[in-house]
Each structure stands twice: as C-alpha cells, then as structure tokens.
Amino acid sequence: MSEPKAPTPTPGDTYKGWLFKWTNYIKGYQRRWFVLSNGLLSYYRTQAEMGHTCRGTINLATANIVVEDSCNFVISNGGAQTYHLKASSEVERQRWITALELAKAKAVRMQAESDDSGDECSMTPPPAGQSGSSRNSEVQSTLRTLGSKVEDLSTCNDLIAKHGSALQRSLSELEGVKLGGETGDKIRQVTERATLFRITSNAMINACRDFLALAQAHSKRWQKALQAEREQRVRLEETLEQLAKQHNHLERAFRGATVLPPSQSNPDADGKGPSSGKGDASDEDDENEFFDAMEDPQEFITVPADPKYHRSGSNVSGISSELGMDDQSIDEQSLASNPESPQSQELEPVKKRRTRIPDKPNYSLNLWSIMKNCIGKELSKIPMPVNFNEPISMLQRLSEDLEYSELLDKAAKCQSSLEQLCYVAAFTVSSYSTTVHRTGKPFNPLLGETFELDRRHESGFRSLCEQVSHHPPAAAHHAISDRGWTLRQEITLASKFRGKYLSIMPLGSIHCIFEKSENHYTWKKVTTTVHNIIVGKLWIDQSGEIDIINHKTGDRCHLKFAPYSYFSRDVARKVTGVVTDKEGKAHYVLSGTWDEKMELSRVMQSSRGGENGTEGRQKTVYQTLKAREIWRKTPLPEGAENMYYFSTLALTLNELEDGVAPTDSRRRPDQRMMEQGRWEEANAEKQRLEEKQRTVRREREREAARTASPAEEGVHQDNYEALWFDHFDDPFTGEQTHLYKGGYWEAKEQGSWENCPDIF
C-alpha cells in the first residue's frame, strides 16, 4: 500500500512509510520501514521483513508524542521504549504526527472495546466455527471502522467550524482596514467566497451528520443481531458435542452387549448393530470406526470363523475352490520360498552403503510468512527456500516406493492370483510408511532430471525415474526385477494450499506385471494432507480409497485409508480392505495401519447383516480365520529425527555413485549443499538452476514458434521430448503416459551420455 497523501488517514487503514530512526552514536540515524496499524507503530529494516521479522512495536494508547523541530519527533511510552525519529521533510513529519495523534486517540477510545471483543473471540472453538468466526470478525471490524469514522467526521466538524469562524473574523478585520477602493472590493469578494464556503461546508456537515446518525442506529441493530447469532451458534455447538458423547456411549454399550460373543452365535446378529465399524471380535481395536466415514456403503464386520473351518476344507460359500491350503500355509509357502534368491547372490560382494548423513541444521523460519500469500495456488509454482525441503528430489522420493520390494518378490512366487493380490495390496500400503514423519518437501526435479536406483545385488531390481514434464510436474518411473516382476508408473502431482492444510493429489496409474503368471495389476495413489501449516506441529495424513485390479483375472482389492477424525476412538492411520474375485465373492480381508503393519485373514463365510446400521444400510459380516501378519515396517535408523526422519533406504539415495548419468539427482548441486548444511548457498544455487531452466524453456518455445506451421502460430508450445521414455496410450487405463523405451542401462555400461542435456 502506498503512502497516503491525506494528513488524516482513516483508522481502518494502514499508514506506512520510511523514517529515519536513531540507533546509536556510531551508526546515527538509520532508514527504517514504519507501519502504523490498529494503534500500534511497528518498524522493520526493509519492507520484505514485514512477513516474518518485526524489529519493534510501541502501543500508542500509552505513548507520548513530542515534536522537536521541523523534521524530528519523539515517541515514548514512559521510559521502556523511546523512538527518536526524523522525517525527510516538514510536510512528511506533519503527516506522521497527524496520523499518530489520530491513531492514539482512537486506540484510547477502543481499548476497552477491543478487550471485550478479544474475550468473545477466545470463547469460540477455532475448529468448529472457523468460517462463522471469520464472518463475525469481519462484521465487528466493519462496525468498529464505522464508529471510528463517526469520530473522525465529528472532529472534522469541530475543526471546520473553528477555522471557518477564525477565517471569517480575519476577513472582517481586514475589511475594516482603510485601503484603496479597488483593494476593498477584492476583500469583499474574498469575504463573500469564504461565506459561501462556510455555508456549503455546513450543509455538507449536516448531511454527514444525518447519515452517521442513521448508520449508528443500524450499527446497534447489527450488533444485537450478531450477538444473538453468536449465542445461538455456541448453543448448537454444545448440543452437537453432547450428541456425539451420547452416540459414543450408546455404541460402546451396544458392542458390550452384542459383539463380544459372536463366535457362538449366528453371524447375522452381529450385523444388526448401528455402525459398529470394520473389525475382528478377537481384536477390539478393529471394531472402532472413524465417524466421518460412516456413510461408506462398503463397510464390513469380521468375526472369528467357526472352529470347524480351521480343520475342514469343505466347499463353503465364500471359499474359493482354487485355494486348497489354509491360512498358515500361505505365509509358510511364501516365506519358505523367499530365501532362495539371496542364496544365489552370496557369491557377489554387496556394496556397503552409508548409514548416516549430516544432521539437519536448526534454522528457524516461519512457514506461514512465506505461504500466506500462496493460498489456492499450485504447490509446484510456489517459490520455496530449501529450509522447508529435505535433501532428496521427488524422483528419489518416488523410488522409495520400492522400500519393501520383497513383498513383490513373494507375490511373484504365489500360485494363486488372489493370494498374489494380497501381497500387491500390502506393497501398495507399505509405500506410505516412509511418509509418517516426513514433513519436508522434496526438491522439484528439473526437466530432464533422472534418478537411477540399482539394487540388483541386494534386492534383485533396478529402477529409473525421469522428469518428463515441468508444468504440470510429471515423473515417469520404470523398475524391473530379476525375481519376476516389473513396476511402472507416471505420477503427476496436483496440489493446493488451503491455509490450514496442504493437499497433494497424485494423478496417474501404477502398473505391476508378473512375468510368470502374466497377471497385470493397476491402481492409483491416495491423497496426502499436511496439517497445521499456520500453527502447531506439522503432521501427515493419508486418506482415500484404492482399487487394485487384476486385468487378467478380474480379481479386485478395495483398500480404504481412513482419514483422521476428531471423534474417532480407533487407531490412527487405519487401513482396511477386501480381496474379491471377478464374481465379487470375498476371499481375504486385510487390516492394519499404513505406518506400521498389515495383516491378512482368510474369509471362510460371508453374510449380510441387518438394516440397523447407519441410515439403514446393511453391512457384510465375514467369518475369518486367525489374522496373520504379511508386512511390518522396518524401524527407522538411530538418530533419524536429526536426519529428516529418513529410512535406511532414503539415507542411501543421495549417496554419490560412479557411472550415473550427468542428469542424475545425486549430481544436483543445491540438493548436495543442503545435505551438507550449507543452506544459504543452496538457496542461491537453487535460484540459479531454476532461472537456467526458465531460460532453456523460453529458448525451446521460441524455436518451436519459428518452426510452427501457420495454423499453429500464436499457440503456446513446449515440444520437450523425454530422453528415456516415449509417449504411450495405455490400453488398460486409457491414459496418455510415458513408457520406458530402453537404452539407459546400456548407455551406462558404455559410459555414453552424449545425448544427456546440461541441466545442472
């Protein structure tokens, strides 16, 4: 906001400008940026500091303002704070004095009112009535501004009357002086004009007075209506809280009466409960449910199967004919076959990789000061310093999906497609386990940036990622394993900052193909939300639903990531799922949390519950064998809290390796500087790389415009072609994506990187 020209700014406005402030006898007066707002005078070294670093503030309600000479004045609040200030001119000093005096008078008048308003606001719970509180605050602010304008106009009325009378007296005295006839005529003309001015001013003042009287009358009615609305909202919130507590109590009482003995009774009785969530009678925690997810029509209940099913292989509804083994044989077979691969690799030495990176420096920076002007914008377009990053790129973060690749190794050995689907589902959930404490933002990859992850000697796979688009940001990923599976994906991140939280929506499909069975699975990722952007400790939540589809057999696994709920009594980060065949018959139930473990239960029989659930909807009751664990998260390395909460794999991702492409993320200088703790240098280098990328893009667009046909003229073009991936129309999902075209690993063996662009 530019400096106001009028000498009396309205109290609702903010008066800003440069003044010279006395610092000490060595530096003397130093130029500072001052801001006068709401009765407070604050100053900063520069305008850029306004968002995060205030150098000092003085309350004008208790301050004395003294003018020393034509440009200098002093503001003091009784000795604790004293500002010796100097304006650039006498006119500028007078503007500041006028603004300060008005602000001081209003601060004194409004101090009691502000205290009362603060008490009312503090009584309102922030989460429940955020939008209503915001509207009330806006109305209150409008009323206070209107009241202050009433005072301003009253002051102007007094001043105009006072100065008008003085002007009239002066002119009358001047008229009495004996001068020449022509001079007397001129004086009479001036007197008449002054009289007309006074009459006009009085008419204007009367009109303003009438308007202000009407506004004041309406103001009182608005305040009464606002107070009534506030009281009604508080009553509604109290009623809602009581209803939630009663609902909680009734559910607990119902479960205690009907859910505990299901193994000896008809399972139909267990489905008649009102919204008893997904669970197992042998595990109380699994019965609980997030209240804000109760509308899900696919809710189910699991109960222990009849003991006869543990010894019988009879043909019961819900048992797939192709699964002859019991639940224990599933795990034993997969686990027994898994050690075969490492035995063949014992002859080759495994490279020793690093287990630590430099500790994260303790640099404080206000995230809200940077992001408050970015509400509603795309995250990839927000210029962020490295202070909020973690020292790996998005390509490396994407490669972390392979942290638990042994689940796909087990899946490749499964004889049953339904059993295989269970391990694919566990792998899908495991890819989120590394995110639970990772609130840092990965580096946005530069266009053409790549990352290879070669783990053939340790885990039997190697993968390649390439940034194939910059706006929107998109990364293509291809991984192939010697143990019989291939994984490919192209992920485009859509993200929005909403003020209190940040939502990241990955777009695109993930494909997993098994060589032996030719089973082809596809699925999508869920939404990631970062909470407490404004205040409090940042925390991550994953929410949404995933459908994993086997396009060869028609088998399907439906996973649900339950969002955090204030009313929930359940475990946080809960995931539940059901594996069904192409006929829709359930064979397995999955349950666990995305940050710890997943368990598998085989379904022996299923039935529909009664219609006493939420909104009369039926729930499916599954009788299952005892749950068996199929995945558990590996503990973080010691000291992970000082190393960005990196997992053992993440610690090795940015480790320098010989022979990688010149476009590899490990060679990115700003990311390397950040890892080493040189954050200021990293910020400068990040800006250089981004400007270099923009220059290259503009040149590419100019080249495309020069070669464009007449029909394409004026159309924005960026004909970038990925180096290792080709455009591909996916027949399974119908999406336009990128498919690995080969050649990277051959180029690495030959050390032939001539075609790689210079991006760093």
Side-chain angles (χ1 to χ4, degrees), residues 509-558:
S509 298
I510 305 171
H511 297 251
C512 186
I513 305 100
F514 291 94
E515 180 180 347
K516 183 178 179 181
S517 63
E518 297 183 349
N519 288 328
H520 189 135
Y521 299 90
T522 63
W523 66 91
K524 296 179 180 290
K525 289 180 174 287
V526 295
T527 298
T528 300
T529 307
V530 184
H531 294 272
N532 288 349
I533 297 294
I534 299 178
V535 64
K537 184 178 180 181
L538 295 176
W539 60 278
I540 303 287
D541 193 22
Q542 311 285 354
S543 60
E545 299 181 1
I546 296 177
D547 280 310
I548 308 174
I549 303 172
N550 185 338
H551 292 274
K552 180 183 177 182
T553 64
D555 301 337
R556 180 185 297 262
C557 176
H558 180 79

Short mmCIF file of all heavy atoms in Angstrom, two decimals, residues 509-558:
data_model
loop_
_atom_site.label_atom_id
_atom_site.label_comp_id
_atom_site.label_asym_id
_atom_site.label_seq_id
_atom_site.Cartn_x
_atom_site.Cartn_y
_atom_site.Cartn_z
N SER A 509 -1.63 -43.68 -12.96
CA SER A 509 -1.80 -45.07 -12.53
C SER A 509 -0.45 -45.75 -12.34
O SER A 509 0.54 -45.39 -12.97
CB SER A 509 -2.62 -45.84 -13.56
OG SER A 509 -3.91 -45.29 -13.69
N ILE A 510 -0.46 -46.76 -11.47
CA ILE A 510 0.71 -47.60 -11.22
C ILE A 510 0.41 -48.99 -11.79
O ILE A 510 -0.69 -49.52 -11.58
CB ILE A 510 1.01 -47.68 -9.72
CG1 ILE A 510 1.17 -46.27 -9.14
CG2 ILE A 510 2.26 -48.51 -9.46
CD1 ILE A 510 1.27 -46.24 -7.64
N HIS A 511 1.37 -49.56 -12.51
CA HIS A 511 1.21 -50.87 -13.12
C HIS A 511 2.22 -51.83 -12.51
O HIS A 511 3.39 -51.47 -12.33
CB HIS A 511 1.44 -50.81 -14.63
CG HIS A 511 0.44 -49.95 -15.35
ND1 HIS A 511 -0.54 -50.48 -16.17
CD2 HIS A 511 0.28 -48.61 -15.39
CE1 HIS A 511 -1.26 -49.49 -16.67
NE2 HIS A 511 -0.78 -48.34 -16.21
N CYS A 512 1.79 -53.05 -12.22
CA CYS A 512 2.68 -54.11 -11.76
C CYS A 512 2.37 -55.36 -12.57
O CYS A 512 1.22 -55.84 -12.57
CB CYS A 512 2.50 -54.37 -10.27
SG CYS A 512 3.69 -55.56 -9.59
N ILE A 513 3.39 -55.88 -13.28
CA ILE A 513 3.21 -57.04 -14.15
C ILE A 513 4.12 -58.16 -13.67
O ILE A 513 5.32 -57.93 -13.42
CB ILE A 513 3.53 -56.69 -15.61
CG1 ILE A 513 2.70 -55.49 -16.06
CG2 ILE A 513 3.28 -57.88 -16.52
CD1 ILE A 513 3.43 -54.18 -16.05
N PHE A 514 3.54 -59.36 -13.53
CA PHE A 514 4.31 -60.52 -13.10
C PHE A 514 4.59 -61.41 -14.31
O PHE A 514 3.68 -61.79 -15.05
CB PHE A 514 3.56 -61.29 -12.01
CG PHE A 514 3.48 -60.54 -10.72
CD1 PHE A 514 2.37 -59.75 -10.42
CD2 PHE A 514 4.52 -60.58 -9.80
CE1 PHE A 514 2.30 -59.03 -9.24
CE2 PHE A 514 4.45 -59.87 -8.61
CZ PHE A 514 3.35 -59.09 -8.34
N GLU A 515 5.85 -61.72 -14.49
CA GLU A 515 6.30 -62.41 -15.70
C GLU A 515 5.73 -63.82 -15.81
O GLU A 515 5.25 -64.23 -16.88
CB GLU A 515 7.83 -62.45 -15.70
CG GLU A 515 8.44 -63.13 -16.90
CD GLU A 515 9.95 -63.13 -16.84
OE1 GLU A 515 10.52 -62.40 -15.99
OE2 GLU A 515 10.58 -63.87 -17.62
N LYS A 516 5.74 -64.57 -14.74
CA LYS A 516 5.35 -65.98 -14.80
C LYS A 516 3.86 -66.15 -15.04
O LYS A 516 3.43 -66.91 -15.92
CB LYS A 516 5.77 -66.68 -13.50
CG LYS A 516 5.48 -68.17 -13.49
CD LYS A 516 5.98 -68.79 -12.18
CE LYS A 516 5.67 -70.29 -12.13
NZ LYS A 516 6.14 -70.91 -10.87
N SER A 517 3.05 -65.45 -14.25
CA SER A 517 1.59 -65.60 -14.35
C SER A 517 0.96 -64.66 -15.37
O SER A 517 -0.21 -64.84 -15.72
CB SER A 517 0.95 -65.36 -12.98
OG SER A 517 1.19 -64.02 -12.56
N GLU A 518 1.71 -63.64 -15.80
CA GLU A 518 1.21 -62.60 -16.71
C GLU A 518 0.05 -61.82 -16.10
O GLU A 518 -0.73 -61.20 -16.82
CB GLU A 518 0.79 -63.22 -18.05
CG GLU A 518 1.94 -63.86 -18.81
CD GLU A 518 1.50 -64.38 -20.18
OE1 GLU A 518 0.28 -64.43 -20.43
OE2 GLU A 518 2.38 -64.73 -20.98
N ASN A 519 -0.05 -61.86 -14.80
CA ASN A 519 -1.06 -61.01 -14.14
C ASN A 519 -0.62 -59.55 -14.21
O ASN A 519 0.54 -59.23 -13.93
CB ASN A 519 -1.24 -61.43 -12.68
CG ASN A 519 -1.97 -62.75 -12.55
OD1 ASN A 519 -2.82 -63.07 -13.38
ND2 ASN A 519 -1.63 -63.53 -11.53
N HIS A 520 -1.57 -58.69 -14.58
CA HIS A 520 -1.28 -57.26 -14.75
C HIS A 520 -2.20 -56.48 -13.81
O HIS A 520 -3.42 -56.47 -13.97
CB HIS A 520 -1.54 -56.84 -16.20
CG HIS A 520 -1.08 -55.46 -16.53
ND1 HIS A 520 -0.38 -55.14 -17.66
CD2 HIS A 520 -1.21 -54.27 -15.86
CE1 HIS A 520 -0.12 -53.85 -17.68
NE2 HIS A 520 -0.62 -53.31 -16.60
N TYR A 521 -1.60 -55.79 -12.81
CA TYR A 521 -2.35 -55.04 -11.81
C TYR A 521 -2.19 -53.54 -12.04
O TYR A 521 -1.11 -53.08 -12.42
CB TYR A 521 -1.87 -55.38 -10.40
CG TYR A 521 -2.02 -56.84 -10.02
CD1 TYR A 521 -1.00 -57.77 -10.28
CD2 TYR A 521 -3.18 -57.30 -9.40
CE1 TYR A 521 -1.15 -59.10 -9.93
CE2 TYR A 521 -3.32 -58.63 -9.04
CZ TYR A 521 -2.30 -59.53 -9.32
OH TYR A 521 -2.44 -60.83 -8.97
N THR A 522 -3.24 -52.79 -11.76
CA THR A 522 -3.16 -51.32 -11.80
C THR A 522 -3.86 -50.76 -10.57
O THR A 522 -4.81 -51.35 -10.04
CB THR A 522 -3.83 -50.73 -13.06
OG1 THR A 522 -5.23 -51.06 -13.05
CG2 THR A 522 -3.18 -51.25 -14.32
N TRP A 523 -3.38 -49.59 -10.12
CA TRP A 523 -4.02 -48.88 -9.02
C TRP A 523 -3.56 -47.43 -9.03
O TRP A 523 -2.64 -47.06 -9.76
CB TRP A 523 -3.73 -49.53 -7.67
CG TRP A 523 -2.29 -49.48 -7.22
CD1 TRP A 523 -1.69 -48.52 -6.46
CD2 TRP A 523 -1.26 -50.45 -7.52
NE1 TRP A 523 -0.37 -48.82 -6.24
CE2 TRP A 523 -0.08 -50.00 -6.88
CE3 TRP A 523 -1.22 -51.63 -8.25
CZ2 TRP A 523 1.12 -50.69 -6.96
CZ3 TRP A 523 -0.04 -52.32 -8.32
CH2 TRP A 523 1.12 -51.85 -7.69
N LYS A 524 -4.18 -46.61 -8.22
CA LYS A 524 -3.83 -45.19 -8.09
C LYS A 524 -3.48 -44.90 -6.63
O LYS A 524 -3.79 -45.69 -5.74
CB LYS A 524 -4.98 -44.28 -8.55
CG LYS A 524 -5.32 -44.40 -10.03
CD LYS A 524 -6.48 -43.48 -10.39
CE LYS A 524 -6.84 -43.59 -11.86
NZ LYS A 524 -5.78 -43.00 -12.71
N LYS A 525 -2.86 -43.74 -6.42
CA LYS A 525 -2.47 -43.34 -5.06
C LYS A 525 -3.58 -42.54 -4.39
O LYS A 525 -4.45 -41.97 -5.05
CB LYS A 525 -1.18 -42.52 -5.10
CG LYS A 525 0.07 -43.33 -5.45
CD LYS A 525 1.30 -42.45 -5.47
CE LYS A 525 2.57 -43.25 -5.68
NZ LYS A 525 2.93 -44.04 -4.48
N VAL A 526 -3.52 -42.47 -3.06
CA VAL A 526 -4.49 -41.68 -2.28
C VAL A 526 -3.95 -40.28 -2.05
O VAL A 526 -2.82 -39.95 -2.39
CB VAL A 526 -4.80 -42.36 -0.92
CG1 VAL A 526 -5.47 -43.69 -1.14
CG2 VAL A 526 -3.52 -42.52 -0.11
N THR A 527 -4.78 -39.44 -1.46
CA THR A 527 -4.43 -38.04 -1.20
C THR A 527 -3.59 -37.92 0.07
O THR A 527 -3.91 -38.52 1.10
CB THR A 527 -5.70 -37.19 -1.06
OG1 THR A 527 -6.42 -37.24 -2.29
CG2 THR A 527 -5.35 -35.74 -0.74
N THR A 528 -2.54 -37.14 -0.01
CA THR A 528 -1.70 -36.83 1.14
C THR A 528 -2.02 -35.42 1.63
O THR A 528 -2.09 -34.49 0.83
CB THR A 528 -0.21 -36.93 0.78
OG1 THR A 528 0.09 -38.26 0.34
CG2 THR A 528 0.67 -36.58 1.98
N THR A 529 -2.21 -35.26 2.93
CA THR A 529 -2.55 -33.95 3.50
C THR A 529 -1.54 -33.59 4.59
O THR A 529 -1.27 -34.41 5.48
CB THR A 529 -3.97 -33.96 4.10
OG1 THR A 529 -4.89 -34.43 3.11
CG2 THR A 529 -4.37 -32.56 4.55
N VAL A 530 -1.00 -32.38 4.50
CA VAL A 530 -0.10 -31.86 5.52
C VAL A 530 -0.88 -30.84 6.35
O VAL A 530 -1.33 -29.82 5.82
CB VAL A 530 1.14 -31.19 4.89
CG1 VAL A 530 2.11 -30.75 5.98
CG2 VAL A 530 1.83 -32.15 3.92
N HIS A 531 -1.05 -31.12 7.64
CA HIS A 531 -1.86 -30.28 8.52
C HIS A 531 -0.99 -29.33 9.34
O HIS A 531 0.21 -29.51 9.46
CB HIS A 531 -2.68 -31.17 9.46
CG HIS A 531 -3.72 -31.99 8.77
ND1 HIS A 531 -4.99 -31.55 8.52
CD2 HIS A 531 -3.66 -33.25 8.25
CE1 HIS A 531 -5.68 -32.49 7.91
NE2 HIS A 531 -4.89 -33.54 7.73
N ASN A 532 -1.66 -28.33 9.93
CA ASN A 532 -1.04 -27.35 10.84
C ASN A 532 0.01 -26.49 10.14
O ASN A 532 1.09 -26.26 10.66
CB ASN A 532 -0.41 -28.06 12.05
CG ASN A 532 -1.46 -28.60 13.01
OD1 ASN A 532 -2.64 -28.28 12.89
ND2 ASN A 532 -1.04 -29.42 13.95
N ILE A 533 -0.34 -26.01 8.95
CA ILE A 533 0.57 -25.11 8.24
C ILE A 533 0.73 -23.79 9.01
O ILE A 533 1.82 -23.23 9.08
CB ILE A 533 0.05 -24.84 6.82
CG1 ILE A 533 0.01 -26.14 6.01
CG2 ILE A 533 0.91 -23.80 6.11
CD1 ILE A 533 1.37 -26.73 5.74
N ILE A 534 -0.37 -23.30 9.60
CA ILE A 534 -0.33 -21.98 10.25
C ILE A 534 0.31 -22.06 11.62
O ILE A 534 1.24 -21.32 11.94
CB ILE A 534 -1.76 -21.40 10.37
CG1 ILE A 534 -2.37 -21.24 8.97
CG2 ILE A 534 -1.74 -20.07 11.09
CD1 ILE A 534 -3.79 -20.73 8.99
N VAL A 535 -0.16 -22.98 12.46
CA VAL A 535 0.34 -23.05 13.83
C VAL A 535 0.32 -24.50 14.27
O VAL A 535 -0.50 -25.29 13.81
CB VAL A 535 -0.53 -22.18 14.78
CG1 VAL A 535 -1.95 -22.69 14.86
CG2 VAL A 535 0.08 -22.08 16.17
N GLY A 536 1.23 -24.86 15.15
CA GLY A 536 1.30 -26.21 15.65
C GLY A 536 2.32 -27.04 14.91
O GLY A 536 2.98 -26.59 13.98
N LYS A 537 2.44 -28.29 15.33
CA LYS A 537 3.40 -29.21 14.72
C LYS A 537 2.82 -29.82 13.46
O LYS A 537 1.69 -30.30 13.44
CB LYS A 537 3.75 -30.32 15.72
CG LYS A 537 4.81 -31.27 15.21
CD LYS A 537 5.15 -32.33 16.26
CE LYS A 537 6.22 -33.28 15.76
NZ LYS A 537 6.54 -34.33 16.76
N LEU A 538 3.61 -29.79 12.38
CA LEU A 538 3.15 -30.38 11.12
C LEU A 538 2.95 -31.88 11.29
O LEU A 538 3.72 -32.56 11.97
CB LEU A 538 4.18 -30.12 10.02
CG LEU A 538 4.42 -28.67 9.61
CD1 LEU A 538 5.53 -28.59 8.57
CD2 LEU A 538 3.16 -28.04 9.06
N TRP A 539 1.88 -32.40 10.66
CA TRP A 539 1.67 -33.84 10.66
C TRP A 539 1.01 -34.25 9.35
O TRP A 539 0.32 -33.47 8.70
CB TRP A 539 0.86 -34.31 11.86
CG TRP A 539 -0.51 -33.73 11.99
CD1 TRP A 539 -0.83 -32.52 12.52
CD2 TRP A 539 -1.75 -34.33 11.61
NE1 TRP A 539 -2.18 -32.32 12.49
CE2 TRP A 539 -2.78 -33.42 11.94
CE3 TRP A 539 -2.09 -35.55 11.03
CZ2 TRP A 539 -4.12 -33.69 11.70
CZ3 TRP A 539 -3.43 -35.82 10.79
CH2 TRP A 539 -4.42 -34.90 11.14
N ILE A 540 1.25 -35.54 8.99
CA ILE A 540 0.84 -36.06 7.69
C ILE A 540 -0.33 -37.01 7.86
O ILE A 540 -0.39 -37.78 8.82
CB ILE A 540 2.01 -36.82 7.03
CG1 ILE A 540 3.24 -35.91 6.88
CG2 ILE A 540 1.60 -37.39 5.67
CD1 ILE A 540 3.12 -34.87 5.83
N ASP A 541 -1.27 -36.95 6.93
CA ASP A 541 -2.37 -37.91 6.91
C ASP A 541 -2.55 -38.41 5.48
O ASP A 541 -2.36 -37.65 4.53
CB ASP A 541 -3.66 -37.27 7.42
CG ASP A 541 -4.74 -38.30 7.72
OD1 ASP A 541 -4.38 -39.46 7.94
OD2 ASP A 541 -5.92 -37.93 7.75
N GLN A 542 -2.89 -39.69 5.35
CA GLN A 542 -3.21 -40.29 4.06
C GLN A 542 -4.68 -40.70 4.10
O GLN A 542 -5.11 -41.35 5.05
CB GLN A 542 -2.33 -41.52 3.78
CG GLN A 542 -0.85 -41.31 4.00
CD GLN A 542 -0.20 -40.50 2.91
OE1 GLN A 542 -0.82 -40.16 1.91
NE2 GLN A 542 1.07 -40.17 3.09
N SER A 543 -5.43 -40.35 3.08
CA SER A 543 -6.86 -40.66 3.10
C SER A 543 -7.35 -40.92 1.68
O SER A 543 -6.81 -40.36 0.72
CB SER A 543 -7.66 -39.52 3.74
OG SER A 543 -7.48 -38.32 3.01
N GLY A 544 -8.36 -41.76 1.58
CA GLY A 544 -8.93 -42.07 0.28
C GLY A 544 -9.11 -43.56 0.10
O GLY A 544 -8.95 -44.35 1.03
N GLU A 545 -9.42 -43.96 -1.11
CA GLU A 545 -9.66 -45.35 -1.43
C GLU A 545 -8.84 -45.76 -2.64
O GLU A 545 -8.59 -44.96 -3.54
CB GLU A 545 -11.15 -45.60 -1.67
CG GLU A 545 -12.02 -45.28 -0.45
CD GLU A 545 -13.49 -45.56 -0.70
OE1 GLU A 545 -13.82 -46.01 -1.82
OE2 GLU A 545 -14.30 -45.31 0.21
N ILE A 546 -8.43 -47.02 -2.66
CA ILE A 546 -7.64 -47.58 -3.75
C ILE A 546 -8.31 -48.86 -4.22
O ILE A 546 -8.68 -49.71 -3.41
CB ILE A 546 -6.20 -47.88 -3.31
CG1 ILE A 546 -5.47 -46.60 -2.92
CG2 ILE A 546 -5.43 -48.61 -4.41
CD1 ILE A 546 -4.05 -46.84 -2.41
N ASP A 547 -8.46 -48.97 -5.53
CA ASP A 547 -8.92 -50.21 -6.14
C ASP A 547 -7.78 -50.81 -6.93
O ASP A 547 -7.32 -50.22 -7.92
CB ASP A 547 -10.12 -49.96 -7.05
CG ASP A 547 -11.42 -49.83 -6.28
OD1 ASP A 547 -11.69 -50.70 -5.44
OD2 ASP A 547 -12.16 -48.84 -6.51
N ILE A 548 -7.30 -51.97 -6.50
CA ILE A 548 -6.25 -52.70 -7.21
C ILE A 548 -6.93 -53.75 -8.07
O ILE A 548 -7.64 -54.62 -7.55
CB ILE A 548 -5.25 -53.34 -6.23
CG1 ILE A 548 -4.73 -52.30 -5.23
CG2 ILE A 548 -4.10 -53.98 -6.98
CD1 ILE A 548 -3.86 -52.89 -4.14
N ILE A 549 -6.72 -53.69 -9.38
CA ILE A 549 -7.44 -54.55 -10.32
C ILE A 549 -6.46 -55.45 -11.05
O ILE A 549 -5.43 -54.98 -11.56
CB ILE A 549 -8.24 -53.69 -11.33
CG1 ILE A 549 -9.20 -52.75 -10.60
CG2 ILE A 549 -8.99 -54.58 -12.31
CD1 ILE A 549 -9.86 -51.74 -11.51
N ASN A 550 -6.78 -56.74 -11.08
CA ASN A 550 -6.04 -57.70 -11.90
C ASN A 550 -6.77 -57.78 -13.25
O ASN A 550 -7.86 -58.34 -13.34
CB ASN A 550 -6.00 -59.07 -11.23
CG ASN A 550 -5.14 -60.06 -11.99
OD1 ASN A 550 -4.88 -59.92 -13.19
ND2 ASN A 550 -4.67 -61.09 -11.28
N HIS A 551 -6.17 -57.21 -14.29
CA HIS A 551 -6.86 -57.12 -15.58
C HIS A 551 -6.93 -58.46 -16.29
O HIS A 551 -7.71 -58.61 -17.24
CB HIS A 551 -6.16 -56.09 -16.46
CG HIS A 551 -6.29 -54.69 -15.95
ND1 HIS A 551 -7.36 -53.88 -16.24
CD2 HIS A 551 -5.49 -53.95 -15.14
CE1 HIS A 551 -7.22 -52.71 -15.66
NE2 HIS A 551 -6.08 -52.72 -14.98
N LYS A 552 -6.16 -59.44 -15.85
CA LYS A 552 -6.22 -60.76 -16.47
C LYS A 552 -7.35 -61.61 -15.89
O LYS A 552 -8.11 -62.25 -16.63
CB LYS A 552 -4.89 -61.48 -16.29
CG LYS A 552 -4.87 -62.88 -16.90
CD LYS A 552 -3.55 -63.60 -16.63
CE LYS A 552 -3.58 -65.02 -17.18
NZ LYS A 552 -2.33 -65.77 -16.90
N THR A 553 -7.50 -61.62 -14.58
CA THR A 553 -8.48 -62.50 -13.92
C THR A 553 -9.75 -61.78 -13.47
O THR A 553 -10.75 -62.42 -13.18
CB THR A 553 -7.85 -63.16 -12.69
OG1 THR A 553 -7.52 -62.14 -11.73
CG2 THR A 553 -6.58 -63.92 -13.08
N GLY A 554 -9.70 -60.44 -13.35
CA GLY A 554 -10.85 -59.71 -12.83
C GLY A 554 -10.87 -59.61 -11.32
O GLY A 554 -11.81 -59.02 -10.75
N ASP A 555 -9.88 -60.19 -10.65
CA ASP A 555 -9.80 -60.05 -9.19
C ASP A 555 -9.62 -58.58 -8.82
O ASP A 555 -9.05 -57.79 -9.58
CB ASP A 555 -8.64 -60.87 -8.63
CG ASP A 555 -8.77 -62.35 -8.97
OD1 ASP A 555 -9.90 -62.79 -9.23
OD2 ASP A 555 -7.73 -63.04 -8.97
N ARG A 556 -10.07 -58.24 -7.62
CA ARG A 556 -10.02 -56.84 -7.19
C ARG A 556 -9.78 -56.77 -5.69
O ARG A 556 -10.32 -57.59 -4.93
CB ARG A 556 -11.33 -56.13 -7.55
CG ARG A 556 -11.42 -54.67 -7.17
CD ARG A 556 -12.82 -54.14 -7.47
NE ARG A 556 -13.12 -54.19 -8.89
CZ ARG A 556 -13.00 -53.16 -9.72
NH1 ARG A 556 -12.60 -51.99 -9.25
NH2 ARG A 556 -13.31 -53.28 -10.99
N CYS A 557 -9.00 -55.77 -5.28
CA CYS A 557 -8.83 -55.47 -3.85
C CYS A 557 -9.21 -54.02 -3.62
O CYS A 557 -8.65 -53.11 -4.25
CB CYS A 557 -7.38 -55.71 -3.41
SG CYS A 557 -7.09 -55.26 -1.67
N HIS A 558 -10.16 -53.80 -2.73
CA HIS A 558 -10.59 -52.44 -2.39
C HIS A 558 -10.00 -52.06 -1.03
O HIS A 558 -10.33 -52.67 -0.01
CB HIS A 558 -12.11 -52.35 -2.34
CG HIS A 558 -12.62 -50.98 -2.00
ND1 HIS A 558 -12.68 -49.96 -2.92
CD2 HIS A 558 -13.07 -50.45 -0.83
CE1 HIS A 558 -13.15 -48.87 -2.34
NE2 HIS A 558 -13.39 -49.15 -1.06
#
